[in-house]
Amino acid sequence: MRVSRAQAEANRETVINVASRLFRERGFDGIGLKDLMKGAGLTQGGFYKQFESKDDLVALASRRAMESATRRWSSVAASSPDPLQGVIDLYLSAGHRGETGDGCPLVALGSDAARQSADLRKPFQDGIKAHLQVLEELMPASDHDDASRKAMTMLALMVGAVTLSRIVTDENLADRLLKAAAAEAKRVAAMEPAE
């Protein structure tokens, strides 16, 4: 049965969205095309009509995940009385720690992405730059170089803290890691410019 162009495009978007979630849950190599397409409610046969390869889908799904995460930060910042604190509180929360399918793709896929080709790492690099831009814009007034340094420090700290909190099996330790990182992120934001 032939599908319309509109339906084919809707199917493609569904596959990208489902892949974005499933890759974050299972890793790039943790799910095959058959299960991925099944998760999207489609058959495997339609995959190559929509995508050149699994790598093509990985790149598209990774870009989708990174863009979604950046939009989430921007949305939280826009609706919070203290935008930077709102982002810190969202990111370094027990709820985010448990969001393996919808949480931060840097945490979920960072080590997988580091082993991929430059083409597959590009969406992550673009997403990191977008996250840094959001953080820079939320930093208390300071010069650009100082805001950039603080944003880099804060992003590395927060991604590392959530990663560690997902690795450990001791929930108390996981919570303490997030709380320590939140306190340090707040301190970094308030630091005087480096000499």
Side-chain angles (χ1 to χ4, degrees), residues 24 66 91 96-97 103-111 124 158-166:
R24 281 181 275 178
M66 290 302 301
Y91 197 85
H96 181 235
R97 178 180 69 226
C104 180
L106 295 173
V107 173
L109 295 168
S111 61
F124 288 91
M158 294 191 326
V159 169
V162 175
T163 300
L164 293 176
S165 76
R166 285 186 180 178

CSV table of all heavy atoms in Angstrom, one decimal, residues 24 66 91 96-97 103-111 124 158-166:
chain,number,residue,atom,x,y,z
A,24,ARG,N,18.5,7.4,23.5
A,24,ARG,CA,18.9,7.8,24.9
A,24,ARG,C,18.7,6.8,25.9
A,24,ARG,O,19.5,6.7,26.9
A,24,ARG,CB,18.1,9.1,25.2
A,24,ARG,CG,18.7,10.3,24.6
A,24,ARG,CD,18.0,11.6,24.9
A,24,ARG,NE,16.8,11.7,24.1
A,24,ARG,CZ,15.9,12.7,24.1
A,24,ARG,NH1,16.0,13.6,25.1
A,24,ARG,NH2,14.9,12.8,23.3
A,66,MET,N,19.1,17.1,21.0
A,66,MET,CA,19.9,18.2,21.4
A,66,MET,C,19.0,19.5,21.3
A,66,MET,O,19.0,20.3,22.2
A,66,MET,CB,21.2,18.4,20.7
A,66,MET,CG,22.2,17.3,21.0
A,66,MET,SD,22.7,17.2,22.7
A,66,MET,CE,23.4,18.8,23.1
A,91,TYR,N,17.9,20.7,35.8
A,91,TYR,CA,18.9,19.8,35.3
A,91,TYR,C,19.5,18.9,36.4
A,91,TYR,O,19.7,17.7,36.2
A,91,TYR,CB,20.1,20.6,34.6
A,91,TYR,CG,20.9,19.7,33.8
A,91,TYR,CD1,20.6,19.5,32.4
A,91,TYR,CD2,22.1,19.1,34.3
A,91,TYR,CE1,21.4,18.6,31.6
A,91,TYR,CE2,22.9,18.3,33.5
A,91,TYR,CZ,22.5,18.1,32.2
A,91,TYR,OH,23.3,17.2,31.4
A,96,HIS,N,15.2,14.6,36.7
A,96,HIS,CA,16.0,14.6,35.4
A,96,HIS,C,16.9,13.4,35.4
A,96,HIS,O,17.1,12.7,34.4
A,96,HIS,CB,16.8,15.9,35.3
A,96,HIS,CG,17.6,15.9,34.0
A,96,HIS,ND1,19.0,16.1,34.0
A,96,HIS,CD2,17.3,15.7,32.7
A,96,HIS,CE1,19.4,16.1,32.8
A,96,HIS,NE2,18.4,15.8,32.0
A,97,ARG,N,17.5,13.0,36.6
A,97,ARG,CA,18.3,11.8,36.7
A,97,ARG,C,17.6,10.6,36.2
A,97,ARG,O,18.1,9.8,35.5
A,97,ARG,CB,18.8,11.6,38.1
A,97,ARG,CG,19.6,10.4,38.3
A,97,ARG,CD,20.1,10.2,39.7
A,97,ARG,NE,19.0,9.8,40.6
A,97,ARG,CZ,18.7,10.4,41.8
A,97,ARG,NH1,19.5,11.3,42.3
A,97,ARG,NH2,17.7,10.0,42.5
A,103,GLY,N,15.7,12.8,28.9
A,103,GLY,CA,16.6,13.7,29.6
A,103,GLY,C,17.7,14.1,28.6
A,103,GLY,O,17.7,13.9,27.4
A,104,CYS,N,18.8,14.6,29.2
A,104,CYS,CA,19.9,15.2,28.4
A,104,CYS,C,20.6,14.2,27.6
A,104,CYS,O,21.1,13.2,28.1
A,104,CYS,CB,20.9,15.9,29.4
A,104,CYS,SG,22.3,16.6,28.5
A,105,PRO,N,20.7,14.4,26.3
A,105,PRO,CA,21.4,13.5,25.4
A,105,PRO,C,22.9,13.5,25.6
A,105,PRO,O,23.6,12.5,25.3
A,105,PRO,CB,21.1,14.0,24.0
A,105,PRO,CG,20.5,15.4,24.1
A,105,PRO,CD,20.0,15.5,25.5
A,106,LEU,N,23.5,14.6,26.2
A,106,LEU,CA,24.9,14.6,26.5
A,106,LEU,C,25.2,13.5,27.6
A,106,LEU,O,26.2,12.8,27.5
A,106,LEU,CB,25.3,16.0,27.0
A,106,LEU,CG,25.2,17.1,26.0
A,106,LEU,CD1,25.5,18.4,26.6
A,106,LEU,CD2,26.2,16.8,24.8
A,107,VAL,N,24.3,13.4,28.6
A,107,VAL,CA,24.5,12.5,29.6
A,107,VAL,C,24.2,11.1,29.1
A,107,VAL,O,25.0,10.1,29.3
A,107,VAL,CB,23.5,12.8,30.8
A,107,VAL,CG1,23.6,11.7,31.8
A,107,VAL,CG2,23.9,14.1,31.4
A,108,ALA,N,23.1,10.9,28.4
A,108,ALA,CA,22.7,9.6,27.9
A,108,ALA,C,23.6,9.0,26.8
A,108,ALA,O,23.8,7.8,26.8
A,108,ALA,CB,21.3,9.6,27.4
A,109,LEU,N,24.1,9.9,26.0
A,109,LEU,CA,24.8,9.4,24.8
A,109,LEU,C,26.2,9.9,24.6
A,109,LEU,O,26.9,9.7,23.6
A,109,LEU,CB,24.0,9.7,23.5
A,109,LEU,CG,22.7,9.0,23.4
A,109,LEU,CD1,21.8,9.7,22.3
A,109,LEU,CD2,22.9,7.6,23.2
A,110,GLY,N,26.7,10.7,25.6
A,110,GLY,CA,28.0,11.4,25.4
A,110,GLY,C,29.1,10.4,25.1
A,110,GLY,O,29.9,10.6,24.2
A,111,SER,N,29.2,9.3,25.8
A,111,SER,CA,30.3,8.4,25.6
A,111,SER,C,30.1,7.6,24.3
A,111,SER,O,31.1,7.3,23.6
A,111,SER,CB,30.5,7.4,26.7
A,111,SER,OG,29.4,6.6,26.9
A,124,PHE,N,26.0,16.9,18.3
A,124,PHE,CA,26.3,17.1,19.8
A,124,PHE,C,27.1,18.4,20.0
A,124,PHE,O,26.9,19.1,20.9
A,124,PHE,CB,27.1,15.9,20.3
A,124,PHE,CG,26.2,14.7,20.4
A,124,PHE,CD1,26.0,13.8,19.4
A,124,PHE,CD2,25.5,14.5,21.6
A,124,PHE,CE1,25.2,12.7,19.5
A,124,PHE,CE2,24.6,13.4,21.7
A,124,PHE,CZ,24.5,12.5,20.7
A,158,MET,N,27.6,20.2,35.4
A,158,MET,CA,26.3,19.6,35.5
A,158,MET,C,26.1,18.3,34.7
A,158,MET,O,25.5,17.4,35.2
A,158,MET,CB,25.2,20.7,35.0
A,158,MET,CG,25.2,21.9,35.9
A,158,MET,SD,23.8,23.1,35.6
A,158,MET,CE,23.5,23.1,33.9
A,159,VAL,N,26.7,18.2,33.6
A,159,VAL,CA,26.7,17.0,32.8
A,159,VAL,C,27.4,15.9,33.6
A,159,VAL,O,26.9,14.8,33.7
A,159,VAL,CB,27.3,17.2,31.4
A,159,VAL,CG1,27.4,15.8,30.7
A,159,VAL,CG2,26.4,18.1,30.5
A,160,GLY,N,28.5,16.2,34.1
A,160,GLY,CA,29.3,15.2,34.9
A,160,GLY,C,28.5,14.7,36.1
A,160,GLY,O,28.4,13.5,36.4
A,161,ALA,N,27.8,15.7,36.8
A,161,ALA,CA,27.1,15.3,38.0
A,161,ALA,C,25.9,14.4,37.7
A,161,ALA,O,25.7,13.4,38.4
A,161,ALA,CB,26.6,16.6,38.7
A,162,VAL,N,25.2,14.7,36.6
A,162,VAL,CA,24.0,13.9,36.3
A,162,VAL,C,24.5,12.5,35.8
A,162,VAL,O,23.9,11.5,36.2
A,162,VAL,CB,23.1,14.5,35.2
A,162,VAL,CG1,22.0,13.6,34.8
A,162,VAL,CG2,22.5,15.8,35.8
A,163,THR,N,25.6,12.5,35.1
A,163,THR,CA,26.2,11.2,34.6
A,163,THR,C,26.5,10.3,35.8
A,163,THR,O,26.1,9.2,35.9
A,163,THR,CB,27.4,11.4,33.7
A,163,THR,OG1,27.0,12.2,32.6
A,163,THR,CG2,28.0,10.1,33.3
A,164,LEU,N,27.3,10.9,36.8
A,164,LEU,CA,27.7,10.2,38.0
A,164,LEU,C,26.5,9.7,38.8
A,164,LEU,O,26.4,8.6,39.3
A,164,LEU,CB,28.6,11.0,38.8
A,164,LEU,CG,30.0,11.3,38.2
A,164,LEU,CD1,30.8,12.2,39.2
A,164,LEU,CD2,30.8,10.0,37.9
A,165,SER,N,25.5,10.6,38.9
A,165,SER,CA,24.3,10.3,39.7
A,165,SER,C,23.5,9.1,39.0
A,165,SER,O,22.8,8.4,39.7
A,165,SER,CB,23.4,11.5,39.9
A,165,SER,OG,22.7,11.8,38.7
A,166,ARG,N,23.6,9.0,37.7
A,166,ARG,CA,22.9,7.8,37.1
A,166,ARG,C,23.7,6.5,37.2
A,166,ARG,O,23.2,5.5,37.1
A,166,ARG,CB,22.7,8.1,35.6
A,166,ARG,CG,21.6,9.1,35.3
A,166,ARG,CD,21.3,9.3,33.9
A,166,ARG,NE,20.2,10.2,33.7
A,166,ARG,CZ,19.8,10.6,32.5
A,166,ARG,NH1,20.4,10.1,31.4
A,166,ARG,NH2,18.8,11.5,32.3
